[in-house]
């Protein structure tokens, strides 16, 4: 039977991780981990406990299906998103993708971008909705200076983008303020950088609202927009996503997709039911009830 040190060494080798990364993951210094692996660390019980806990968690994770483990499927919604991203990238324009939550907008955008080295994806949050925090977030993603005044950071971002033919995807864009959106428009104007905003109905209704005259210039620059809803996911989409021939199970998952819980809710129910070894319609319904998803 392998010792704990042997198990840790095997994990590091099999996962192709570094000793430093493993040390960080369990919450000890690299020097402590080095000595522990050489079995030259005094009072090793504390490290033993941390390593054992971590390896046990990793083993359980490997035995279970994770939320993000379902393969990407090109649904009707994904095709729509793909089209906006392709158009915006080629025409160097502003695009907007908006609609119901939990229908695959983010996953599709990341799938579209994964083989492209000219795309940067950033996610807005309430904390990064204002102009300076957002520009700092963007500057970090572009690996340029993120200190100084708003103007300093903005100019550094422009300098970074002017000579590069890039596409910026800004997820959760409904969190952005008017001034931030205006800064984004001016980045597109100044550098020709393609920019795609992804969010819920809020970001679009802001731009369309008559009381929001300050959005008029931004709205007029949008080259392509796409409105998405759960109703666009058809039964064939659901069958491909979950790779199942159980008609009753597909019907139930389809119903969840068309509810307020969306595709994300259906995925969460399926993953948990799969980990419970029961993805029949009955198993899915029991799990959904336990999760508080009533459809």
């Amino acid at each position: 039977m392998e010792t704990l040190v042997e198990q840790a060494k095997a994990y590091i080798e099999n996962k192709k991780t570094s000793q430093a990364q493993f040390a960080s993951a369990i919450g000890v210094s690299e020097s402590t981990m080095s000595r522990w692996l050489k079995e030259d660390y005094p009072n090793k019980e504390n490290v033993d406990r941390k390593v054992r806990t971590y390896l046990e968690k990793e083993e359980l994770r490997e035995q279970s299906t994770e939320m993000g483990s379902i393969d990407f499927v090109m649904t009707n919604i994904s095709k729509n998103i793909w089209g906006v991203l392709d158009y915006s990238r080629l025409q160097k324009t502003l695009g907007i993708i908006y609609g119901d939550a939990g229908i695959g907008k983010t996953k599709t955008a990341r799938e579209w971008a994964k083989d492209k080295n000219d795309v940067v994806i950033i996610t807005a949050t309430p904390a990064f909705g204002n102009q300076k925090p957002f520009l700092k977030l963007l500057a970090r993603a572009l690996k340029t200076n993120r200190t100084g005044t708003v103007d300093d950071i903005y100019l550094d971002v422009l300098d970074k983008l002017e000579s590069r033919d890039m596409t910026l995807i800004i997820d959760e864009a409904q969190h952005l303020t008017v001034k931030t959106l205006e800064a984004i428009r001016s980045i597109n104007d100044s550098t020709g950088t393609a920019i795609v905003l992804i969010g819920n109905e809020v970001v679009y209704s802001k731009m369309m609202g008559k009381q929001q005259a300050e959005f008029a210039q931004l709205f007029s620059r949008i080259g392509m927009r796409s409105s998405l809803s759960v109703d666009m996911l058809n039964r064939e989409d659901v069958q491909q996503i979950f790779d199942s021939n159980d008609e009753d199970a597909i019907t139930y998952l389809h119903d969840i997709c068309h509810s307020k819980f969306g595709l994300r809710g259906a995925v969460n129910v399926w993953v948990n039911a799969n980990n419970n070894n029961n993805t029949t319609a009955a198993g899915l319904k029991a799990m959904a009830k336990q999760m508080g998803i009533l459809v």
Side-chain angles (χ1 to χ4, degrees), residues 67-84:
M67 294 301 178
S69 63
I70 292 180
D71 292 338
F72 173 76
V73 170
M74 185 64 82
T75 64
N76 284 327
I77 289 176
S78 298
K79 291 175 185 176
N80 202 303
I81 294 169
W82 216 271
V84 174

Side-chain angles (χ1 to χ4, degrees), residues 31-217:
S31 60
T32 295
M33 178 53 58
S34 178
R35 292 187 64 185
W36 183 85
L37 288 170
K38 294 175 182 175
E39 301 189 59
D40 182 35
Y41 188 75
N43 303 317
K44 68 185 187 68
E45 290 77 13
N46 185 47
V47 180
D48 285 354
R49 185 172 61 254
K50 290 182 176 182
V51 170
R52 186 177 294 108
T53 298
Y54 182 79
L55 293 179
E56 286 174 353
K57 282 193 298 184
E58 287 295 285
E59 184 178 358
L60 289 172
R61 283 173 177 145
E62 288 182 1
Q63 293 171 357
S64 65
T65 304
E66 297 180 359
M67 294 301 178
S69 63
I70 292 180
D71 292 338
F72 173 76
V73 170
M74 185 64 82
T75 64
N76 284 327
I77 289 176
S78 298
K79 291 175 185 176
N80 202 303
I81 294 169
W82 216 271
V84 174
L85 292 168
D86 278 340
Y87 179 87
S88 300
R89 181 177 182 235
L90 293 176
Q91 297 299 322
K92 300 183 179 182
T93 188
L94 282 169
I96 179 168
I97 298 165
Y98 64 98
D100 296 334
I103 55 176
K105 299 188 295 292
T106 298
K107 187 164 186 173
T108 300
R110 293 190 180 280
E111 181 70 20
W112 177 84
K114 74 178 185 182
D115 61 346
K116 298 175 177 62
N117 60 12
D118 61 343
V119 178
V120 170
I121 301 178
I122 56 177
T123 302
T125 67
F128 293 102
N130 290 322
Q131 191 175 8
K132 186 171 183 178
F134 173 80
L135 287 172
K136 289 174 71 174
L137 184 67
L138 177 56
R140 185 177 72 169
L142 295 173
K143 295 180 173 59
T144 190
N145 178 52
R146 53 182 190 268
T147 60
T149 67
V150 172
D151 291 344
D152 291 333
I153 301 170
Y154 175 75
L155 289 172
D156 284 327
V157 166
L158 292 188
D159 288 343
K160 189 75 172 183
L161 291 172
E162 268 180 332
S163 60
R164 302 172 67 185
D165 185 1
M166 293 190 66
T167 299
L168 298 180
I169 298 175
I170 304 170
D171 200 11
E172 302 292 340
Q174 68 271 9
H175 296 302
L176 303 177
T177 64
V178 175
K179 285 187 177 181
T180 304
L181 287 165
E182 284 296 333
I184 289 167
R185 177 192 61 78
S186 64
I187 289 171
N188 172 256
D189 282 347
S190 300
T191 67
T193 300
I195 302 175
V196 179
L197 306 173
I198 300 178
N200 61 25
E201 288 281 351
V202 172
V203 67
Y204 188 74
S205 62
K206 278 182 180 178
M207 297 179 187
M208 284 295 288
K210 293 180 180 179
Q211 74 279 13
Q212 299 289 347
E214 61 266 44
F215 279 91
Q217 192 172 16

